Amino acid sequence: MARSDLTMGDLTSRDHAFYGLIWAGTTLSARIDQALSRAHGLPLSWFEVMLWLNGQSEPVAASDLGAKTLLSRSQVSRVVDQLQARGLVERLPSPTDARSVCVALTADGREAFARADATRREALREVFDDRLDDGDIQALETVWAKLKGRAHPSA
């Protein structure tokens, strides 16, 4: 049987734009996940948690990680367990709630994040950075801001 080219049929420009976003997110995420896993044994879900932790100057409530990441609360808990087992994060008692714990990157975690982030950037260079100019990036920032319901990308 001969291979036929698949199409999605007639799509409106809005449908095409939506499925383009889905394709881009899925494709780029898979590329990053593969690069991080190969180079560092670090899946994208782990990197995402580390990304949020790296941006903080203080430990973060585990529940806040669940609210910010694209992971479920139970997934965040499993990822934190795995990162802790590798010595990349530590759990600390919450200073404001005795029932809660906070999570922070360890020094090794910050170093591992920096190496992984360099790998992420390299994995995206050819398929993202080299293809999009500053105007494209600003347009994407505007789109993301609108989809997130913010008035301006810097909001």
Side-chain angles (χ1 to χ4, degrees):
M1 183 173 185
R3 182 184 161 264
S4 62
D5 289 330
L6 297 176
T7 70
M8 288 198 267
D10 294 329
L11 294 177
T12 66
S13 58
R14 288 182 179 273
D15 289 338
H16 191 263
F18 171 77
Y19 287 111
L21 287 173
I22 299 298
W23 173 86
T26 301
T27 303
L28 296 174
S29 293
R31 182 181 191 96
I32 296 166
D33 184 61
Q34 184 177 54
L36 293 172
S37 293
R38 280 186 182 160
H40 308 283
L42 189 77
L44 181 57
S45 59
W46 293 20
F47 179 84
E48 183 184 1
V49 168
M50 293 173 75
L51 173 71
W52 283 101
L53 291 173
N54 188 65
Q56 311 311 308
S57 59
E58 298 291 325
V60 176
S63 59
D64 290 344
L65 284 173
K68 288 292 186 181
T69 66
L70 298 175
L71 306 172
S72 70
R73 182 177 237 156
S74 63
Q75 286 173 310
V76 168
S77 181
R78 282 192 299 273
V79 167
V80 170
D81 287 344
Q82 293 163 328
L83 290 169
Q84 186 175 20
R86 285 190 43 183
L88 302 176
V89 302
E90 60 184 341
R91 284 186 167 99
L92 305 161
S94 170
T96 59
D97 183 353
R99 298 167 294 156
S100 298
V101 296
C102 292
V103 182
L105 285 177
T106 62
D108 287 347
R110 289 200 184 276
E111 290 175 18
F113 174 78
R115 289 190 303 273
D117 196 38
T119 298
R120 177 196 60 86
R121 290 174 193 276
E122 182 57 30
L124 288 177
R125 184 186 49 75
E126 182 182 317
V127 296
F128 190 82
D129 296 334
D130 291 354
R131 295 182 187 187
L132 302 177
D133 62 26
D134 290 344
D136 295 329
I137 297 299
Q138 184 56 51
L140 285 174
E141 287 285 341
T142 300
V143 168
W144 307 147
K146 286 180 178 181
L147 291 175
K148 289 181 177 183
R150 295 191 314 239
H152 188 271
S154 61

